[in-house]
Amino acid sequence: MTIYDEKLLKTVPMPPDLTDRHVALAQQYTRAKMLEGHTIAGFCKANRISTNTWYDFLEIPSFIKYMADIQNLVIPADEKDAFQQMKKHILKIPYKENPTIKETELFMDVFGYLAENDKRIQMERLGLTKTSSGTSNAMSVEERKTQLLGRLMKKG
């Protein structure tokens, strides 16, 4: 980052519940990700923290918001515009008659979070995980058996 960027980062208010270490790591991660292309594992190793600790930080809402604020501040507008233009092209891939494997991989790389969301919803629907509200949706064996039999009876 340039000196100007470093000064710019200091303009983002530090959330009161974050430590100086949180703030420093958020800034370093943004720098490493943008300028050096670090992975989370590489970043954690370079900063002598465990990946578990990093993921614990990513559970803190104010940490996530702070990182988003600094990333939004330092990403140039022309790069954001270019990404949006490319995203429009990538969004057309699923509607192609025969998308190539490379196109499918590109789409999943960019929109993999959609597959994760679909998987979560399906797991909740089947009662295998907690719902997004935090309540357990787990069914007893008998309830699952009844549900599955009901679905089979409808198909038959």
Side-chain angles (χ1 to χ4, degrees):
M1 282 186 180
T2 64
I3 294 172
Y4 176 74
D5 290 331
E6 293 292 337
K7 288 180 182 176
L8 200 56
L9 287 179
K10 294 181 189 320
T11 66
V12 177
M14 180 177 139
D17 62 326
L18 296 183
T19 65
D20 289 340
R21 179 79 170 140
H22 286 117
V23 170
L25 286 171
Q27 291 176 358
Q28 289 169 4
Y29 179 76
T30 299
R31 185 180 309 113
K33 184 78 173 164
M34 290 184 66
L35 299 179
E36 302 157 22
H38 273 222
T39 62
I40 289 175
F43 171 78
C44 290
K45 184 176 179 180
N47 286 280
R48 295 189 171 118
I49 62 167
S50 72
T51 54
N52 286 340
T53 298
W54 181 253
Y55 286 111
D56 286 345
F57 290 171
L58 294 177
E59 297 287 323
I60 303 168
S62 58
F63 184 78
I64 295 168
K65 183 180 180 328
Y66 180 73
M67 278 200 17
D69 289 347
I70 61 175
Q71 288 175 4
N72 284 333
L73 187 66
V74 298
I75 297 172
D78 61 339
E79 289 180 17
K80 289 179 187 178
D81 290 342
F83 176 78
Q84 291 304 319
Q85 288 301 316
M86 189 56 66
K87 187 173 159 182
K88 287 177 186 177
H89 293 291
I90 295 168
L91 282 169
K92 294 176 186 174
I93 292 171
Y95 302 101
K96 289 178 114 183
E97 181 77 25
N98 293 306
T100 66
I101 291 173
K102 288 281 188 194
E103 289 171 325
T104 304
E105 288 172 351
L106 173 63
F107 183 86
M108 292 307 293
D109 284 347
V110 174
F111 297 108
Y113 63 92
L114 294 172
E116 289 299 318
N117 184 60
D118 183 64
K119 189 185 316 178
R120 181 189 51 75
I121 290 169
Q122 294 300 324
M123 298 278 287
E124 286 176 5
R125 188 179 61 75
L126 293 171
L128 300 174
T129 62
K130 291 184 178 183
T131 63
S132 55
S133 64
T135 59
S136 178
N137 196 21
M139 294 184 274
S140 69
V141 173
E142 282 301 314
E143 289 170 323
R144 275 191 247 158
K145 180 178 159 185
T146 303
Q147 184 185 44
L148 288 171
L149 284 173
R151 277 194 257 160
L152 289 171
M153 298 301 265
K154 285 181 189 175
K155 290 181 181 180

